[in-house]
Amino acid sequence: GDVNIVVTTDLHSWIQGRRHQSYLNATLGHAISMVGHLREAGRRVGRDVFFFDNGDINDGTGLSALAPDHVSYLTLLMRE
């Protein structure tokens, strides 16, 4: 089957969205949900969907700034 690739950049793990920029107001959860829907749609028609984020997923949020390693708080949320 066909291969479909979804690529994002600079999501910065936006847990709370971007209320100050309504045209960009989506959270990391929205992105993950979208990929889940695309994968399910692809599965129904025999196509693979791969998701790649090419940077800055760990830096740029309050949660990432709190942890010394910049990821320990975020990885707990991403596992759910």
Side-chain angles (χ1 to χ4, degrees):
D2 291 344
V3 174
N4 296 278
I5 299 172
V6 178
V7 179
T8 59
T9 188
D10 295 329
L11 291 179
H12 295 287
S13 301
W14 283 104
I15 305 289
Q16 294 294 320
R18 295 175 68 100
R19 294 179 218 162
H20 60 290
Q21 292 177 302
S22 60
Y23 62 96
L24 295 174
N25 191 20
T27 67
L28 183 60
H30 287 108
I32 292 169
S33 177
M34 177 198 70
V35 171
H37 288 293
L38 290 172
R39 284 183 173 160
E40 178 58 28
R43 185 194 60 76
R44 286 194 303 267
V45 295
R47 295 181 179 163
D48 293 317
V49 176
F50 295 94
F51 172 60
F52 297 94
D53 180 73
N54 61 23
D56 289 341
I57 191 117
N58 299 325
D59 294 318
T61 68
L63 285 176
S64 66
L66 291 174
D69 63 359
H70 293 272
V71 296
S72 57
Y73 294 120
L74 293 170
T75 52
L76 293 173
L77 293 170
M78 287 189 237
R79 288 183 183 158
E80 294 184 18

